[in-house]
Amino acid sequence: MANHQKDLFRRTDGRCLIWGKKPKVIECSYTSADGQKHHSKLLVSGFWGVARHFNYTGDLMGSLAYCLACGGGHLLPYFYIIYMTILLTHRCLRDEHRCANKYGRDWERYSTSVPYRLLPGVF
């Protein structure tokens, strides 16, 4: 659903409803490698208002569900959720670094509006 919300927002240029309301956005700008200035919008509604990388949270929940379906008789299946947690946490931090460099102060405003990266209330 998080990816669907972002896709809907992009396809309609923000002229849509997210959780029954007009989406909140942060208008931002950045300069590409060729020196051209571009404008963009960062979604601050729906799942994207809960955490900046909530799509990864869904992936982690799915991974945990696969592990839990194996029961508690053996530790081996739980290496999957450990692997996914490391992978997606690292990816999240790389994304944060890239976006901070790309958007600058606009990313700071976005991070203030959506304080959690992956797990609301935790990280």
Side-chain angles (χ1 to χ4, degrees):
M1 281 305 299
N3 286 328
H4 171 72
Q5 286 178 352
K6 183 170 62 171
D7 179 60
L8 177 65
F9 176 76
R10 286 182 177 168
R11 277 188 296 118
T12 63
D13 194 34
R15 292 183 293 276
C16 61
L17 297 177
I18 304 286
W19 289 349
K21 298 177 185 174
K22 182 180 175 187
K24 296 178 189 173
V25 300
I26 291 183
E27 301 278 342
C28 55
S29 61
Y30 63 95
T31 305
S32 58
D34 63 1
Q36 296 228 347
K37 189 155 184 145
H38 301 274
H39 296 279
S40 187
K41 298 175 184 174
L42 297 172
L43 181 60
V44 190
S45 292
F47 289 113
W48 300 96
V50 175
R52 296 190 297 264
H53 305 279
F54 206 74
N55 53 328
Y56 298 157
T57 305
D59 293 338
L60 288 172
M61 289 170 40
S63 300
L64 180 60
Y66 284 134
C67 295
L68 293 173
C70 294
H74 201 280
L75 184 62
L76 184 62
Y78 291 88
F79 281 105
Y80 180 57
I81 186 62
I82 293 167
Y83 167 76
M84 289 298 289
T85 300
I86 293 167
L87 175 84
L88 293 175
T89 299
H90 183 257
R91 184 180 296 171
C92 175
L93 294 172
R94 282 191 337 238
D95 291 351
E96 290 279 314
H97 180 73
R98 184 179 51 82
C99 289
N101 287 333
K102 179 177 179 179
Y103 295 115
R105 287 189 176 194
D106 293 328
W107 186 257
E108 290 174 24
R109 289 186 324 155
Y110 180 64
S111 297
T112 299
S113 295
V114 183
Y116 297 105
R117 293 177 173 133
L118 195 60
L119 285 174
V122 178
F123 173 72

